[in-house]
Each structure stands twice: as structure tokens, then as C-alpha cells.
Amino acid sequence: MRQNFDLNDLYNGNLKVLDDLTSNVKQIQDDLLKEILTLNAETEYLQRFLHGSSDKELFKTNLPVVTYEDVRPYIDRVANGEPFDVLSAMPITGLNLSSGTSGGKQKRLPLNDKYLKNMRFIYDIRSLIISKHVDGVEQGKGLMFLFTRPESKTSSGLLTTIVSTTFFKSKYFKDRPSYWYNSFTSPDEVFWCLDNKQGLYCHFLCGLVQRDDVVRVGALFSSLLIRAFTFLENNWRELCSNIRSGQVSTWVTDPSCRESVSKILRGPNPELADFIEEKCSQKSWQGIIRQLWPNAKFIESVFTGQMAQYVPTLEFYSNKLPLVSTTYGASESFFGVNVNPLCKPQDVTYTFMPNISYFEFLHIDEGNNNEIVELANVKLGHYYAPVVTTFAGLYRYKVDDILEVTGFHNNAPQFRFARRKNVVLSIQTEATTEDDLLNAVTNAKLVLESTDLMLMDFTSYADISTAPGHYVLYWELKTKNFNNNNLTTKLDEKVFAECCYVVEESLDPLYRKERTKDGTIGALEIRVVQNGTFDALMDFFISRGGSISQYKTPVGIKSSDALAVLENKVLARFFSIKSPPLDP
Ligand code: AMP
């Protein structure tokens, strides 16, 4: 059907396909929708709305835009053993666990072979794009912190895990083509190691031993890079001792990981150990990445959206190597690639690839609520939430991201990732929304009821300057007894530790898992600020162009100038002293 582009070009290492895809957006998208609707016309879901038709106009009038909660009953039915054609004509081969939260739970999205093929296409095309922009990248190796995690099975035997795990274990990754800048310092066995600590340790060991070969350092999301370098700070001595002796530490017990990494170590290397020791024992780690990997040309990860907060730290570690965001994708579908990979992190845009899924966009600018347009019709400067129709059984499914159209590559729209709808705090993969936080603080306020204190206002901040990062809440309090307004005499450590605990206990299961089980989030902190602080904060925002009549205290703060307003007025700090339960 689709004649406007030939993926064989790509498979032959030719980037012409990028031009073809981005020049024929409307036709490719129309053909793709036709293909999806024809293929899936007999599914229970589409039958309900289209009664066997594959007509685009009927699709537009009859198919509702849905959220996860709307399709969840269908997905659950497939998960529980009903035939996949409830949703999809192509076999559903597994379920992708998303990191995004919906009412605090990870979503399960249908996965099929086409999804993995699309993922491979995205990896293929981004390899070629990077090769075009960065000389010699194919000749070196990548120190990429890639991990897999254990899979589980639904009652009917469908594999459930995060999609990168499925991909790394699939033939699409294992048989990666020669034109990929495909070689990694770590053997595949390290990617497949299910123990994250052993995996991370081995990634570093392999990356350090082959330091001259490393041309790029990266991870899927940049939060992980921060975690990796904190790990290096704590473990470089042991890594050096392994390099010096040529022996992997005995606690690395995963047999295939151990065996494959031992081969890479190839015996004692005291000179290298001395060199790394000298670099890592410096007082400042500014530029440590360039020092340890002198041929690294860029850092590859996601630096947009929630991940933008990690840019300054990585710029510090890398002494401003280019930070390259390559891809925008989700468990629902992949979306687009960055065709200008060396641009600044704040200028990154993603060009949607029209051959992946059928993309529509829900207008979210004021006055245009609920208008839905197709990919070829989005307007420059406007904000949209993507709505996808996929080959795996999602039809007009709204993704909770907000994107701004910032330009076009040929006639394919390019989007800046503006924000994830409503998320105010995120340190690892958890995503705490305004509602989650407001609810948690409301619960904690009950603890204050037994005291003379009232919570007047609050805001929050994800503090990643500590290792691990942790949530900070700024609380402004007043005494109920106005005659005795000396706050500092009233701040009972026990009460505030309990408040911290109640907030954590009320946050979603993923937060509690990362905090309690994984230890990747630290104890929540409440910083009590002086009276008047939130007025000063409001003045600050108004002085920056805010409107007093519509002013609302932001539930989360990102701007360092705004944080400074709060930090100057901190009276006391309290931490949670016990971890929240995994299942309250
Ligand atoms: P998940 O469903 O767990 O795969 O997470 C997908 C979500 O991660 C997306 O909906 C975005 O909110 C976020 N995400 C993925 N790629 C990017 C990116 N390049 N920039 C910003 N956020 C991203």
C-alpha cells in the first residue's frame, strides 16, 4: 500500500528515507490509518464503534478519544486470557508496563511484534542521524547504561515488563545491523543481568577498561546517568582494585555477567588503575566524564521534560559535552526523533515519524478545547496532547503529555516536549501529580491537628543535589494561638517526622517502591519557612509577569530563583525517619 518511502533504504544504511517520510506525511498517515482500520475492523472494540467499516470519516465521528482507564477493561480481559482480537487483529504478545502513573498505578499497554519493529526502526533511523552529525561515532563504542528487569506473567501467560527489556531481549536488538553505531563497551550479558547493582558495576568496569574506545556515554533517561555517577563516586576504589588485579569482585555473582566481564578485563592493569584513581580522587569532579573517557563526543539520553532538571549536573560532570536527546516515545507508541541531535537541550524538538502509528492531536490552548487535528494539520506555536491509534490495539488513545509545535522538517511537524500533564515531582520513574501531592499533604495535615499549628501554604521541589534525590516540601505554618506566634519553640521533631511519613505513605506505589525497596529516593523532608514566605513567593512570580488575580501557589517549584526566595527563609528541617510501607 504505502509507496511513498522504502524502509529498505534505511536497512541499507541510507538516510534518504527520512526525507521521504517527512515529505509525505499526510499520505503516509492516511494509508496507515486505512491499514489499521482494515486489519482490525472485526475486533470487538472497533466493531462497537465502526460496525465493520474502515472509513476514515466514520472513524473521526464515531471513535471516542479515550484514556487508559477507558481501555483498561479491554486490556485486562486480554491479560486474563480472552482472545487478543477483543482489541487487535495482530497477536498481542505481551504487555508494556509504563512508568507513567494513572491513579498511582503503572499502566499495562498492549505489545506486539509491530511495536518492536517500530522500535527497531527508531533505533535505526536515529543511529543514521547521529552518524551524519558526529564524525567517527561508528568506529567507537558506547558506554550505555542499559538494563533489563524481571518479567512477570499475567494469569493467561502474557509477559509483562517494561518495553526496553522486551526489546533488548528480542531479535531486533540482538541482530542489530552493522550500520548502527552498535557496539557497546558492555557485553549483552551485562544488559541482561537482572541485578541492577551488579549490572551497573559491570557497565563501569567494562567502560573504564575500554576507556579509549568510548565515543558516547548514555542511558535511556538522564536520571539514571545521575544515579550512575553517584554510584561511581561510591565505588571507584573497588573498580580500580578490580582493574589492578584483573579480577571481578566476588559479590558480582551473576555467572554470565561475571564470565563475559572477566574476558573484557583481560588480566591486571595497574597503570590504568593508577590513572583512574588519580582522576577520581580529585576534589572536584567537574569534567570527570571527559577525563575518564577522552574520546567521548556526546552524552546520549533524554534531557527534555522532567529530565531537564538533570542538565546542569551532567554539564558539570562532562564539562559541556553535547547532551543529545534522540527520541520521544512511550509504552503506548514511539513518536519521533530529534533530527538535529547536536542542538542545545532546551532547543530539542522531536519530528514525528508518520510510519509508526496514526497520530492526532488534541488542542489544549484556551478557546480550542477538544478540537482534534491530524498530524499534517497541527499549527505552529500551538499546544497539543498526542492521541494515538496503533497496530497493537489502541484507538484514539490520549497520551498525558503536552507538546508545542515549534517547526517543520520538510512537512513533518516538530514538537517541543512542554510537560507531562500535571506531574509536579519526579526523581526516578515515579511521577507524582498535583493531585497525588495535594492528597498526601491533606493527610499529613491531620497530624498537625493535635498541635497548635496550622499549615498556611506549601510547595515542593525534587532535590537531586543529594544522593539519592528526595522530595522537599516547604511549609509555612502559623500558630493557632496568635498570642504565641513564636514558631521555633513549637516545632516538635516527632510531629514533623510523622508528617513526613504520612506524606510518603500517601504517595503512589511506585514512589514507595523506589523509596523503600529500591532505595533510589531518599527520605522526604519538610522545611518550615518563616511567616510571609509565600507572600514573598507570590511577589516574585508577579514581578516575573504573573497575574495577581489568577495567581495560584505552584505545587512544585523548578526555578532556582524562586527556590532561593524560599531557601532564604527556612527555619527548620525535618525528615521522615522510617520508610513508608510498600502496601499500606
Ligand atoms: P513510559 O510510558 O513509561 O514509557 O513513559 C513515557 C513517558 O516518558 C512519555 O509519555 C513522556 O512523558 C516521557 N518521555 C519519553 N520520552 C521523552 C522525551 N524525549 N522527552 C520528555 N519526556 C519523555
Side-chain angles (χ1 to χ4, degrees), residues 510-578:
L510 195 56
Y511 172 93
R512 285 182 275 115
K513 176 177 165 290
E514 289 172 340
R515 162 84 170 99
T516 301
K517 188 157 172 254
D518 303 346
T520 49
I521 296 181
L524 184 137
E525 180 183 1
I526 290 178
R527 295 183 187 162
V528 177
V529 293
Q530 294 165 14
N531 280 338
T533 303
F534 280 80
D535 286 350
L537 188 69
M538 181 176 76
D539 291 345
F540 167 83
F541 280 112
I542 289 168
S543 73
R544 298 279 171 113
S547 129
I548 194 156
S549 60
Q550 289 176 22
Y551 176 79
K552 298 170 203 77
T553 303
V555 177
I557 300 264
K558 302 243 158 46
S559 131
S560 53
D561 291 345
L563 276 177
V565 173
L566 299 164
E567 277 301 311
N568 284 335
K569 298 183 189 305
V570 173
L571 289 175
R573 294 154 193 264
F574 303 97
F575 289 90
S576 216
I577 50 177
K578 53 185 179 190

Side-chain angles (χ1 to χ4, degrees), residues 96-100 106-107 109 115 162-163 220-221 301-307 325-333 335-336 348 350 399-402 417-421 429:
N96 292 337
L97 266 185
S98 80
S99 60
Q106 279 179 286
K107 299 177 216 163
L109 283 319
Y115 183 106
I162 51 172
V163 67
L220 293 184
F221 284 96
S301 195
V302 168
F303 296 99
T304 44
Q306 295 292 125
M307 298 295 139
S325 293
T326 56
T327 313
Y328 169 41
S331 307
E332 288 87 350
S333 169
F335 302 113
V348 168
Y350 299 102
V399 177
D400 278 337
D401 290 334
I402 295 178
F417 188 96
R419 61 185 176 276
R420 193 154 162 175
K421 205 172 153 223
T429 53

Side-chain angles (χ1 to χ4, degrees), residues 98 146 150 180 231 261 265 289 315 393 418 452 490 565 572:
S98 80
L146 303 180
W180 263 34
F231 182 86
V261 173
L265 270 186
I289 296 180
E315 283 181 337
D452 183 32
K490 308 233 159 192
V565 173

Side-chain angles (χ1 to χ4, degrees), residues 96-308:
N96 292 337
L97 266 185
S98 80
S99 60
T101 57
S102 152
K105 287 173 204 73
Q106 279 179 286
K107 299 177 216 163
R108 297 190 299 181
L109 283 319
L111 169 77
N112 64 7
D113 191 60
K114 179 78 177 172
Y115 183 106
L116 295 174
K117 247 188 210 152
N118 279 337
M119 191 161 174
R120 165 66 180 270
F121 162 81
I122 291 283
Y123 273 64
D124 286 343
I125 200 156
R126 80 180 200 199
S127 294
L128 290 176
I129 292 169
I130 298 226
S131 299
K132 195 178 116 191
H133 286 85
V134 185
D135 280 346
V137 69
E138 313 87 346
Q139 274 95 55
K141 293 185 179 179
L143 166 53
M144 296 297 290
F145 297 99
L146 303 180
F147 294 89
T148 42
R149 54 166 271 169
E151 294 143 327
S152 58
K153 280 193 174 161
T154 67
S155 56
S156 69
L158 271 185
L159 277 186
T160 307
T161 189
I162 51 172
V163 67
S164 51
T165 290
T166 317
F167 183 69
F168 293 142
K169 289 188 153 184
S170 75
K171 62 177 184 215
Y172 296 108
F173 180 75
K174 288 184 182 164
D175 306 338
R176 45 196 184 269
S178 57
Y179 62 80
W180 263 34
Y181 52 91
N182 68 342
S183 95
F184 301 104
T185 48
S186 299
D188 286 5
E189 286 78 2
V190 175
F191 301 143
W192 301 331
C193 174
L194 292 179
D195 179 309
N196 289 348
K197 188 174 171 205
Q198 294 185 36
L200 187 51
Y201 189 85
C202 290
H203 276 311
F204 271 119
L205 211 44
C206 298
L208 288 167
V209 172
Q210 301 167 80
R211 61 185 285 270
D212 290 327
D213 297 336
V214 172
V215 287
R216 62 201 175 104
V217 175
L220 293 184
F221 284 96
S222 52
S223 54
L224 183 58
L225 283 175
I226 300 288
R227 205 176 140 210
F229 281 91
T230 311
F231 182 86
L232 183 62
E233 280 175 31
N234 295 326
N235 290 281
W236 59 265
R237 287 185 185 80
E238 186 175 344
L239 287 160
C240 287
S241 129
N242 286 188
I243 293 169
R244 189 177 301 285
S245 66
Q247 301 287 327
V248 183
S249 290
T250 49
W251 62 268
V252 177
T253 49
D254 181 297
S256 39
C257 199
R258 207 182 155 77
E259 193 191 323
S260 59
V261 173
S262 299
K263 278 190 201 142
I264 287 173
L265 270 186
R266 279 192 301 174
N269 191 341
E271 297 82 36
L272 180 61
D274 285 346
F275 175 85
I276 298 167
E277 254 168 24
E278 185 206 319
K279 294 295 169 202
C280 291
S281 52
Q282 296 170 106
K283 273 212 182 88
S284 164
W285 268 31
Q286 180 161 12
I288 193 78
I289 296 180
R290 278 188 198 254
Q291 295 177 40
L292 294 178
W293 296 283
N295 299 317
K297 295 168 191 282
F298 61 98
I299 314 279
E300 178 179 344
S301 195
V302 168
F303 296 99
T304 44
Q306 295 292 125
M307 298 295 139

Side-chain angles (χ1 to χ4, degrees), residues 469-533:
H470 70 295
Y471 286 9
V472 174
L473 303 185
Y474 292 92
W475 278 18
E476 186 170 330
L477 300 154
K478 246 198 169 87
T479 50
K480 287 180 201 155
N481 176 357
F482 289 114
N483 294 329
N484 183 2
N485 208 5
N486 185 352
L487 262 181
T488 31
T489 61
K490 308 233 159 192
L491 301 177
D492 181 337
E493 185 112 32
K494 250 204 207 135
V495 169
F496 283 91
E498 180 64 14
C499 289
C500 293
Y501 174 77
V502 172
V503 173
E504 294 201 290
E505 188 193 31
S506 312
L507 291 175
D508 76 23
L510 195 56
Y511 172 93
R512 285 182 275 115
K513 176 177 165 290
E514 289 172 340
R515 162 84 170 99
T516 301
K517 188 157 172 254
D518 303 346
T520 49
I521 296 181
L524 184 137
E525 180 183 1
I526 290 178
R527 295 183 187 162
V528 177
V529 293
Q530 294 165 14
N531 280 338
T533 303

Side-chain angles (χ1 to χ4, degrees), residues 65 360-374 377-387 398 401-405:
V65 172
E360 296 172 281
F361 295 85
L362 201 61
H363 220 148
I364 60 146
D365 297 276
E366 254 171 61
N368 289 307
N369 266 343
N370 296 328
E371 186 201 22
I372 184 161
V373 293
E374 52 190 76
N377 293 340
V378 295
K379 293 197 198 102
L380 194 66
H382 288 236
Y383 285 79
Y384 300 93
V387 173
K398 182 159 81 73
D401 290 334
I402 295 178
L403 312 174
E404 181 193 8
V405 182

